[in-house]
Amino acid sequence: MAAVAGPAEPEPCGSFRRYLARLGALRPQPGAERPDGGRRRTELHLVFDQLISESCGPAPAAGPSPQDVCALLVQACQLVHLDQEHLVSKVCQLIHHLLNRFQVMVDEQNLNFLLSYCISALKQCSSWTHVEILQALAALVYNNGPKCQKYLPDLLGKTGLLVQFSDSAQPDVELRRAAVRSMANLCLSVPGQPYLDEPYRSICFQTFLSVLQSSKTSDVDDIAFCMLLQNALKGIQSLLNGGKMKLMQADQIGSLLAVLKKCMFHGLPGLSIEMPAALYPAPLPQYDKRSPVKEEQSEPAAFKQAGNRRKKSKGKQKKGEFGEEGREDLGDAGNESVLGADMLKLRLGDVQNSLCSDPRARASDVAYVSAGKDQLSSHYTSWKRISSSESEYSDAEGGIQSKMRSYQANVRQGALACFLSAIKSIEKRVLYGYWSAFVPDAPGIGSPQSVSLMTIALKDPSPKTRACALQVLSAILEGSKQFLSVAEDANDHKRAFTPFSVTIASSIRELHRCLLLALVAESSSQTLTQIVKCLANLISNAPYSRLKPGLLTRVWNQIKPYIYHKDVNVRVSSLTLLGAIVSVQAPLPEVQLLLQQPSSSGRNNSGSATPHRVNSSEQWRKALPSEAEPPDNPSGRTSSEPCWLLRLCVSIIILPREDSCSDSDANFPSFSSVYEPCPLRLESLQVLALLVKGYFSMAQSYFLELGEVACRCMEEMDPSIQLHGAKLLEELGTGVLQQYKPDSAVAPEQRVPVSVVVTFWTMMLNGPLPGTLQNSPHATLQTSACDALSSILPEAFSSLQNDQQILCVTLLLGLNHSENPLVKAAAVRALGVYILFSCLRQDVMFVADTANAVLNSLHDKSPNVRAKAAWSLGNLTDTLIINMETMGQSFQEEFSDLLLLKMLRSATEASKDRDKVKSNAVRALGNVLHFLQPYHIANPRFKEAIEESLQALISTVQSEATMKVRWNACYALGNVFKNPALPLGEAPWTTQAYSALSSVVKSCKNFKVRIKSAMALSIPSKRECYGSTEQFCQIWSALVVALQKSEDTEDFLEFKYSASLRTQICQALLHLLGLAKSTDLPVIWETITENGDAIKSYVLQYLKSGVEENEAGMHTDLCEREGVLKRAIEHLSGIEKQLEGKARVRVSDYLEYVLTNHANATELTEA
C-alpha cells in the first residue's frame, strides 16, 4: 500500500490518481458488503497523512490537474462525516495544503460542495477543529469571492460565522486570525466580476478596523498577533483597491489613519507610541504619546540633536560613531575612516571642507565616493542599521528574535501598503488635513519631534520598510502644489502666533533636512532610489520663490555624488531630481546661481566627477560647425566652459562609457553597449530639455552644440533616444521663439542672432529631421518631429534657402494625410503656425494649399485632429484679414471664391462640434465674414451660407458653452460688425445679434465675456448700423444696466476684471452718444434722469483712471478719453439746437457738467 502512494512516485499526476482510486475504493458500493468502520477510518487517516506529508514537500515541476485536485478533495469530504472530528481536521488541512501548494482555483460546482461542507463543519464540530476548517475556508474563497454570494449571509451576516470568530471578545488568537484571513480573502476582487455588496463591505471594514485597534495581551504570542494584524491590513487594502472604496466620512478616515499610524511603528526598535481611536484634521502634530523604551529611550533626542548641530560637529560625531561601531572589514581602515567622516560632513552641506579640494584628486578616490558610500553610510547612526548588507536581517541574529522582528517588519510594511491605497481613496484636500500627523515638522523648543513617516525612513532597520515609508510620503507629496503654495518664510515673522504659512514652510524645511539625512545614511540601493524620488516629488511641489533660499543648494550639492553610484536606478533618479530642480518655478535666482557656478567648482564641491572624464567631455564641442568660438555670449557668462549640469548631461548622452565608470554598471549586463545605459541617457536628455526650457539664457551660449546633440540622438537606432532628441530640438526652437516675442523682456542684443538660428535650422534640415518625418515607423517620434519643425523662428525661416523652405512645407502638407491621428494633429497645427509667417502668408498658392489641408483635417474622426485643425483655421483666417489690410484688393481677387465658401460652411459646421473645436471655429467665422466683399455677399451661393454662419455665431453667444467659446463668439461678432459690406442695421439677424450681446453684457457670470460683448457693441461706426431708435435705445439701456452691475459677482476671482469692464462700457456709452440721432435723445435723457448720479461717478472714474491697457490691448490716455467726451458733447449740442421749437432735452449740458467736475478734480489734484 505504501509503495503505491509513496512520495518516490515519478509522476505526480499518476500518484494523485492512485490516491483518488484508493479513496474511491473506500466508498460503499450499492449492494456490496459494508466495509468495517474502524478499518475504513484507519485507511482514511493513512491516505490523508501521506497526502499532507507530500503536499508539504517541494513543489514538483508538473503538478496534478486542477480537476484531479478538486475531485480528490470532494471525494475526501464525501467519505468523512462531520462527527469524525479528527478526520474533519485532516481533510481541512488537506484542502488548505493542496490548494495553496498547487495554486488551484476551484470551479463553481465543486466550490459549492466544499464550502457547504466547511460551513456545516464550523457549525457542528468542536472548537478545537475550527482553526483548520477556517484555513480550508480561506483557501477555498481566495479569488473566488464572486462565486460565494449565496454563502455570504452565513459567513458575513450580522451573526455570521466569520463575524463571530473574528470578534474582539474571541480569546483564541489563532482562531481569530484564521477568521480574519478568510474574511480578507473574501474581500479580494476578481477582474470583470461583481464585488462585495455594500453591507458586507461595511461589516468587513469594521471588523478589520477593530482588529487593528485591539491591543496585544500578555498571553498572546507576538508572532501570532503580528499575523493577525497583517491579515486585517490585507483585508482593508483589498477593500480600498478592489472595492474602489471611497473614504468620505471624517470618523471613518480618522479611525483608519489612527490605526495605520499605530501599525506603521509596530515593533520599531526604540519607539513605542500610544494612539487614540481616531485622528482629526489639525494643523499641528497630535496624539503621539511615547512610552518609555529602556535601551533606546534617548535615541530620538540624540538624533534630533545631531541634526541641529553645526555642520562641522556632524562630521566629528560620525567619525566617533565610526570608531565605536566599526563591524566590517573596510580595507585600509585608517585612510577610509578619515575619508568617510569628511565625505559625510560634505554631504550634509559643508561645501568648504570638500574631500576633493585638491584639484588633482585621483579617479580612484572619486570612484570610492560613489561605490564605497554604502559601507560608510551604514555607520551613520547607532540605531540605524542592524547590518550593512541590503538583505532584511543578518543571519547572526538568528532564532525567535529574528523571526519576530521579521514579522513585525511585515506588519509595518502592510500598514504602509494599506496607507498607500488609502491615499488613493481619500480626496487630497481632505488628506492634507492630516498632514501634520504623517509629515515631520521642526520641533518646538524643549519638545521632542513628532513621529512621522520620516521616522521610519530614518530609523527602521528594514530597507524594504524604509522604501515603503518613502513611497507613501511620495504619494502624499504628489499633487500637493496647491496645498504647499501657502508656505512662506522669506520674511522673519515677529508675531504672538505662528501663521499657517510659516508652519507649512517649516514642514518643507524639515522634510528637506530629514530626506538629506536619509540620503547620507542609506545603504540599500532600492531605498536610495526611493529617497531621491521623494526629494524630486517634494521639489516639484514646493513654492521655493516664497521660501528663504538655500534649500535647493543643499540638495544640489548633496546629490552630485549619486550621479556616479554603482546602481543605475540611483543614477537615473538622481538625474530626475536635478531635472526637478531646474524645472520648478523656473527661472529661480538660486538655481540660476547654481548653474552659473564653474564646472570645476561644482566638481570640487561634490567630488562627483573624475577629471579625465570631465576633460573628455570637451570632445562634444570639438566636432561642431562653430568650433572656433561659441555664438555671442548673451547670457553674460564669463566662463567659456559649459555649466556642470549641461556638460554632465551631454557627456552621458553622446560619450562612450569609460573603463573607470563601467564598474558602476557591473550588475547590468544588458547595458553592455558602448554608451551609458539607455535609461540614463534618456533621463539626461530630459534634464537637458528642462534646462533649455527653464534657463534658456544659460543654454543659449551652447545653442549650436546642443543642436548637434539633438541631431546625433535623432540619427541613432533607438526610437526612444530619437524621440527625446526631437523634444530637445523643439525646446531649443521654442526658447528662441520666446526671445523674439513682441512682449519679450530680452534685449535684442542678448537674443540668439538670427544668423545663428538660420545655421541651426540649416543643420537640422540637412540632418536626420526630414528622414524622421518621412520614414519613421514610430508615430510618437513623427509627432515630436512635427512639433520641432513648427518651432522655427519666422525670421530664420524667411532666410533659409528656397529649397529648404519648400522641403518644410512639402513635409507638413504630406503628413497632413497621415492615417495616424497624432501625426495628423501635429502636422495641421504646424501648418497653422506656418500660415502666419510673413514670407508665406502672401503666397496665394500656399494659403490655398494650407486651407484645403486644414479643411480636410477639420472633418477627421479624431476630436484632437479637429481641435488642432480649428485652431489652424482660425490662424488661416487671421492671415486673410492681415492680407486684406496690407495687400488690398489684389489678394482678395486672387483667392478662390469656392474655397472661401467651403471655409465658411466648414467653420459653421465646426461651430456645432465640441467646445475645443467650437472656440476656434467661431473665431474663424468672424474673420471670414469680415473678409467677404460686396460681390461675395451679392452672390446667391453665399447668401444661405452667410445666414447660417451668422445664426451659428448668435446661438453660440447665447449658449451655455464654456466661457472661452462665448468670448470668441463675442469677438467674432465684433469682427462681423467691421465689414461695411454687410447689411448691418437692416437685415433681420442684426436685431438678434444686438439682443444676444446686450443680454450677455448685463448678465454673463464671466466678466471677460461681458467686456468682449461691450467691445463688440461699440464697433459699428455709423448710426444706421444700429438700426431703429428702439433697437439703439435697447442697447443704450443694456449698457447702463451693465455699468450698474459691474461690481455684482458671485465669484470673487471675477472682481479683478470689474475696472476693465467699467472702462469698456463707458467707452461704448460715449461711442453711442457720439452717434445718437434726435429721436434717440428722449430715452437717453430719461435714463440720465433716473441714473444720472451713478453714471456720472462711473464716467468720472473712467476719465481720471489715466493711462491703462484695455481688454483689446490698446492704450487710451487721458486726452483721448476727454476728446471722446468732448466730441459727444459737440455732436449732441448740434442735434439739440435743431429741436428748438420742441421739448428740448439737455444731454449735452449733463455731459458738460461731468466734464467740468472732472476738470475741477484734476486741478485740485495738480495743486
Side-chain angles (χ1 to χ4, degrees), residues 1061-1104:
L1061 175 60
R1062 284 192 294 275
T1063 297
Q1064 194 57 56
I1065 293 172
C1066 286
Q1067 284 177 1
L1069 287 170
L1070 291 176
H1071 175 74
L1072 290 177
L1073 288 172
L1075 298 176
K1077 295 192 301 188
S1078 58
T1079 52
D1080 305 325
L1081 294 185
V1083 174
I1084 293 173
W1085 180 247
E1086 185 185 337
T1087 312
I1088 287 172
T1089 307
E1090 291 175 7
N1091 307 294
D1093 289 343
I1095 294 171
K1096 183 186 78 171
S1097 66
Y1098 286 127
V1099 173
L1100 283 172
Q1101 190 180 351
Y1102 162 71
L1103 289 172
K1104 74 178 183 183

Side-chain angles (χ1 to χ4, degrees), residues 787 821-822 824-830 832 854 857-858 862-874 916-917 920:
D787 292 338
L822 287 173
K824 193 169 185 176
V828 77
R829 181 194 164 277
V854 169
S857 294
L858 198 60
S862 162
N864 186 41
V865 172
R866 296 200 304 276
K868 301 291 186 194
W871 180 82
S872 293
L873 184 63
K916 282 188 177 180
V917 180
N920 283 299

Side-chain angles (χ1 to χ4, degrees), residues 1125-1145:
L1125 180 56
K1126 285 173 182 174
R1127 285 192 293 276
I1129 292 169
E1130 191 179 331
H1131 170 74
L1132 291 168
S1133 297
I1135 294 173
E1136 287 167 356
K1137 281 178 185 175
Q1138 295 169 11
L1139 299 172
E1140 281 182 0
K1142 305 171 186 177
R1144 291 178 63 198
V1145 289

Side-chain angles (χ1 to χ4, degrees), residues 54 167 305 395 408 538 903 921 996:
E54 277 192 27
D167 190 77
Q305 188 182 8
D395 292 339
Q408 288 171 338
L538 171 61
M903 286 167 66

Side-chain angles (χ1 to χ4, degrees), residues 377-543:
S377 60
S378 65
H379 304 292
Y380 172 55
T381 47
S382 60
W383 41 259
K384 180 65 195 286
R385 302 288 177 266
I386 286 170
S387 163
S388 68
S389 70
E390 291 187 11
S391 60
E392 292 287 316
Y393 295 98
S394 166
D395 292 339
E397 262 184 287
I400 193 71
Q401 189 74 0
S402 173
K403 189 177 179 185
M404 188 183 77
R405 288 197 178 182
S406 179
Y407 275 98
Q408 288 171 338
N410 287 341
V411 171
R412 298 196 294 276
Q413 289 160 26
L416 290 163
C418 196
F419 193 3
L420 204 55
S421 299
I423 289 169
K424 296 169 187 171
S425 305
I426 303 173
E427 276 188 74
K428 278 291 171 80
R429 63 183 182 83
V430 176
L431 177 68
Y432 291 140
Y434 301 90
W435 173 273
S436 60
F438 298 98
V439 180
D441 183 25
I445 297 170
S447 63
Q449 188 173 33
S450 60
V451 292
S452 67
L453 287 162
M454 278 312 307
T455 311
I456 303 170
L458 284 163
K459 197 170 182 184
D460 201 293
S462 157
K464 190 174 178 184
T465 314
R466 297 196 297 274
C468 287
L470 290 157
Q471 273 184 297
V472 172
L473 185 55
S474 269
I476 292 173
L477 288 170
E478 199 171 333
S480 62
K481 187 172 284 186
Q482 190 176 354
F483 173 70
L484 295 181
S485 65
V486 301
E488 184 170 20
D489 72 348
N491 302 314
D492 291 326
H493 73 95
K494 295 178 181 177
R495 305 176 196 173
F497 66 96
T498 304
F500 183 62
S501 58
V502 175
T503 303
I504 296 297
S506 166
S507 187
I508 291 171
R509 289 191 167 279
E510 187 61 14
L511 267 175
H512 267 270
R513 191 185 74 82
C514 292
L515 284 167
L516 290 181
L517 282 171
L519 187 70
V520 166
E522 190 51 65
S523 60
S524 158
S525 295
Q526 288 80 4
T527 314
L528 254 181
T529 305
Q530 288 301 329
I531 294 169
V532 180
K533 283 181 179 177
C534 200
L535 264 171
N537 240 337
L538 171 61
I539 286 168
S540 298
N541 290 285

